[in-house]
Amino acid sequence: MTALLDVSELHVALGRGRKRTEILHGVDLTVAPGEIVGLIGETGSGKTTLARAVLGLVQAQSGTVAIDGREVTGLRGGALRAFRRSGTVQYIFQDPLRSLDPERTVFDTLVEGLVVRGRAELQDAALGVAQLVSLPLDLLPKYPGELSGGQRQRVAIARAIAVDPRLLICDEPVSALDASTRITILELLLRLRESRDIGVLLITHDLGSLGGVADRVVVLYHGRVVETGTTEEIFLAPRHPYTRLLVTSVPSIRDEEPPDPELRRALRDEVRGLAATSADSADIPQITGA
Amino acid sequence: MSVSPDSATAVRAAADAAGESGRETLLSVRGLRVSVADGSEVVHGVDLDIPRGSAVGLVGESGSGKTLTCRAVLGLLPVGVEVTGGEISLRGTELTALPAAKRARLRGTDLAAVFQDPASYLNPSITVGAQLAEVLRVKIGLARRAARYRAVELLHAMGLRRPTHVYSQYPFELSGGMLQRVLIAMSITAEPELLIADEATTALDVTVQAEVLELLTELRRDRGLTLMIVSHDLAVISQMCDTVHVFRDGSIVEAGPTRRVLRVPRHPYTRELIENHERFGIDRVRKQRSQQ
């Protein structure tokens, strides 16, 4: 099966002149249609830069990003605008209030990306996606400010779905939500990948939240993929020291004893050692499973 | 009024827990009621017992009343929100009857708190060291130079590497985890007996959360600090607390030793919270493995 998203040997540098810094040092990542891939990394690891490169918002130094077999890395000008306008890739942000236009009703938000065909057709489209995300129809005439956090995130997802994307990039989609709302949004993502065969790249700093959601996990550390594997492999048998540090840091209600501080301290020191050397060499070991 | 049928058992369970450990009760909350400006009650008669040296968890979703309960204990309710019934006593001293100035004096020296967003409790234009030193001068009357010396010591004790460097930095120059350590240092300067941590690690990366939780555990072990941990995350409570109180809609629906409550929940709402917790997340994967 060809990958829906295929990132290969991607190098991205940001900044100008002497301040130019390489953020991504040769990243490989794939997402198949209908697959949910978790991208995990701490603040500053490069996960948002990677997402922006997939959207064509930042230029790659080298390497490729291909979507549905079509390379988007080299697109410029009109071709790039056409790619963005096609809606193939849609982005869901952590804080939907900031990504929704406060002066646009839910209805107008849902249909804004559709090529105008006629009132009746727009109505059908809006009702269709609203139902798909279980958004109560009486919310359609309301403004984002009148909705709860979970409802807003549903609107953001519905708007993204309305243009029939192939790939959804979700950047911390549930971090700002309450536990029970979080569940309904994650269940919605699971449903969408089933019914629409959409690929999802789920970006988060919270490794624990990927359990039961992601099929595979990609661990990004200092601009490099240090480990990939199925969610079970990563959670139950992590191999890279950074992944092991992450897994032993997540508190669990099933632990008899709190995680061993000594083990974590040893892992932390090991990982810090890796970070110190990573600035001038590419020696962070990479581990690839599944 | 929604006193749940389980609240009587809950009180007993908490009392048993305190009794078993044989520890003296540091803080006792009885029948606490809190109402907002329009007169509607949001906390409906909460009972809590916190034995000295223990770690007690308050868990529940947003709006369940756990934070208002803490703020009532601290005497820091928002404007228009007030205690309309019940008692809060610290080592036998009734707090609700105390004048505001006396209560303010208790904060820092007897009870202290850290919250979710550390940056918002610091002045952005003053170095963190100077702000910590100010607390040392005001709360325990140290002279300028001694306060500076003690502040660096405290930053070091909080696990901050290069404490003298951190001392001279501004809040924006520090990460969330470092700022929370600075706030914890401030909160314990005057050696309070009770530290309330209200979602103190919620906004942090997991590895940083683990470090801050470790720091709190060390403070409890080494200084005998009593902890009241407020969190929506059952796993954090599970890791940190001896006893847990489950809040829902302004009432405690279940309380007891953490392990018992999480393994054999008695109230349907507690069961629902646990099911939700295990629906997604690392605990789901661990549960699947244990069932295989």
Side-chain angles (χ1 to χ4, degrees):
Chain A
M1 183 163 50
T2 43
L4 168 62
L5 171 68
D6 192 345
V7 176
S8 171
E9 270 300 301
L10 185 69
H11 289 256
V12 173
L14 299 177
R16 284 169 194 282
R18 254 194 282 159
K19 286 195 169 170
R20 194 164 176 83
T21 319
E22 190 169 275
I23 308 291
L24 298 177
H25 317 287
V27 167
D28 295 306
L29 180 147
T30 61
V31 180
E35 188 183 32
I36 299 183
V37 175
L39 178 63
I40 170 96
E42 60 190 7
T43 316
S45 59
K47 49 194 197 305
T48 299
T49 302
L50 177 56
R52 291 171 62 86
V54 172
L55 287 164
L57 294 173
V58 293
Q59 300 290 338
Q61 277 183 303
S62 64
T64 55
V65 174
I67 290 163
D68 258 342
R70 183 159 168 255
E71 209 184 297
V72 296
T73 341
L75 295 181
R76 299 280 186 280
L80 182 58
R81 277 196 298 279
F83 160 67
R84 286 199 202 131
R85 215 173 286 157
S86 72
T88 313
V89 182
Q90 290 293 309
Y91 203 95
I92 311 280
F93 296 88
Q94 175 174 353
D95 180 3
L97 195 54
R98 286 194 205 165
S99 62
L100 296 174
D101 183 341
E103 299 190 348
R104 229 180 246 249
T105 64
V106 171
F107 178 86
D108 290 340
T109 301
L110 294 184
V111 300
E112 70 178 325
L114 301 178
V115 179
V116 182
R117 293 184 203 94
R119 190 75 197 164
E121 227 167 306
L122 285 186
Q123 189 112 30
D124 286 348
L127 292 179
V129 288
Q131 267 161 0
L132 198 62
V133 303
S134 316
L135 192 71
L137 298 184
D138 56 348
L139 296 182
L140 289 180
K142 301 212 180 213
Y143 292 89
E146 302 174 88
L147 309 179
S148 70
Q151 289 169 340
R152 279 180 211 136
Q153 198 57 293
R154 254 175 245 266
V155 171
I157 293 172
R159 172 183 60 177
I161 296 301
V163 295
D164 242 338
R166 304 282 296 122
L167 177 70
L168 269 187
I169 299 179
C170 302
D171 199 345
E172 306 278 6
V174 297
S175 303
L177 303 176
D178 230 6
S180 52
T181 319
R182 193 174 284 215
I183 288 172
T184 61
I185 295 293
L186 293 174
E187 279 172 345
L188 169 61
L189 288 178
L190 288 170
R191 233 169 41 231
L192 287 175
R193 69 92 164 260
E194 282 292 319
S195 63
R196 298 230 165 172
D197 216 26
I198 293 174
V200 179
L201 183 62
L202 190 56
I203 302 175
T204 178
H205 70 282
D206 179 9
L207 177 66
S209 70
L210 294 173
V213 188
D215 305 304
R216 282 191 304 126
V217 175
V218 174
V219 184
L220 197 63
Y221 183 66
H222 281 256
R224 285 190 178 80
V225 174
V226 294
E227 185 163 357
T228 68
T230 65
T231 309
E232 283 70 20
E233 285 169 347
I234 296 285
F235 280 2
L236 303 178
R239 289 181 288 170
H240 191 277
Y242 177 65
T243 319
R244 289 171 64 206
L245 176 64
L246 281 175
V247 172
T248 54
S249 296
V250 180
S252 166
I253 65 169
R254 308 186 75 81
D255 277 347
E256 292 291 301
E257 298 294 325
D260 177 12
E262 288 308 317
L263 168 66
R264 248 207 348 272
R265 215 158 288 151
L267 287 169
R268 198 159 63 217
D269 291 343
E270 193 177 344
V271 168
R272 276 186 185 145
L274 293 176
T277 54
S278 75
D280 38 28
S281 75
D283 287 343
I284 296 185
Q286 303 198 358
I287 295 169
T288 308
Chain B
M1 249 310 289
S2 60
V3 168
S4 102
D6 270 26
S7 60
T9 26
V11 173
R12 224 175 305 128
D16 285 351
E20 277 162 23
S21 61
R23 284 182 293 210
E24 170 205 354
T25 300
L26 175 64
L27 180 85
S28 164
V29 176
R30 283 281 162 274
L32 178 71
R33 293 175 184 280
V34 176
S35 299
V36 294
D38 67 5
S40 58
E41 193 174 272
V42 285
V43 174
H44 316 290
V46 157
D47 296 311
L48 276 176
D49 275 299
I50 303 196
R52 189 187 297 274
S54 68
V56 172
L58 276 56
V59 74
E61 294 207 80
S62 56
S64 62
K66 55 192 197 306
T67 290
L68 284 179
T69 299
C70 286
R71 294 210 168 242
V73 168
L74 288 163
L76 287 176
L77 286 169
V79 176
V81 181
E82 47 188 41
V83 172
T84 46
E87 292 159 6
I88 302 170
S89 61
L90 184 72
R91 283 179 317 237
T93 309
E94 176 53 38
L95 298 186
T96 46
L98 287 183
K102 278 207 168 157
R103 279 203 91 171
R105 241 170 285 144
L106 288 179
R107 285 195 292 274
T109 54
D110 293 82
L111 29 97
V114 284
F115 301 97
Q116 179 166 353
D117 178 15
S120 64
Y121 297 89
L122 292 166
N123 186 326
S125 58
I126 302 176
T127 63
V128 297
Q131 295 185 63
L132 177 54
E134 186 191 354
V135 177
L136 286 159
R137 278 159 50 208
V138 172
K139 280 287 177 190
I140 52 176
L142 290 185
R144 207 167 276 267
R145 185 177 293 198
R148 186 190 165 92
Y149 184 79
R150 179 88 185 104
V152 172
E153 259 184 5
L154 267 170
L155 292 174
H156 180 68
M158 295 305 108
L160 287 160
R161 293 179 296 170
R162 302 172 66 204
T164 44
H165 178 65
V166 172
Y167 184 98
S168 60
Q169 285 189 300
Y170 290 91
F172 78 90
E173 296 178 285
L174 300 179
S175 69
M178 295 169 91
L179 287 174
Q180 199 58 284
R181 285 168 198 269
V182 171
L183 263 288
I184 292 172
M186 278 186 181
S187 68
I188 62 159
T189 47
E191 303 192 346
E193 285 197 82
L194 176 68
L195 179 67
I196 298 176
D198 186 355
E199 302 282 3
T201 60
T202 303
L204 304 175
D205 273 353
V206 281
T207 54
V208 183
Q209 161 168 288
E211 289 171 18
V212 172
L213 293 179
E214 239 166 62
L215 172 62
L216 292 176
T217 303
E218 279 169 25
L219 292 173
R220 180 185 172 198
R221 190 188 60 213
D222 301 341
R223 304 186 183 219
L225 193 65
T226 306
L227 297 174
M228 187 159 147
I229 310 251
V230 182
S231 180
H232 69 283
D233 187 347
L234 282 175
V236 167
I237 298 286
S238 163
Q239 185 185 323
M240 299 292 293
C241 302
D242 313 323
T243 58
V244 59
H245 297 73
V246 182
F247 277 70
R248 185 196 196 180
D249 297 335
S251 301
I252 294 175
V253 298
E254 180 164 6
T258 310
R259 191 169 289 186
R260 199 280 296 156
V261 172
L262 293 182
R263 291 218 187 141
V264 202
R266 290 176 189 157
H267 195 279
Y269 181 67
T270 313
R271 282 199 284 276
E272 191 185 316
L273 280 184
I274 294 170
E275 272 163 29
N276 283 352
H277 178 85
E278 290 185 329
R279 174 74 183 82
F280 292 111
I282 204 160
D283 277 325
R284 172 190 168 117
V285 177
R286 288 185 180 160
K287 183 181 180 186
Q288 281 168 342
R289 176 181 55 173
S290 68
Q291 284 171 347
Q292 275 163 12

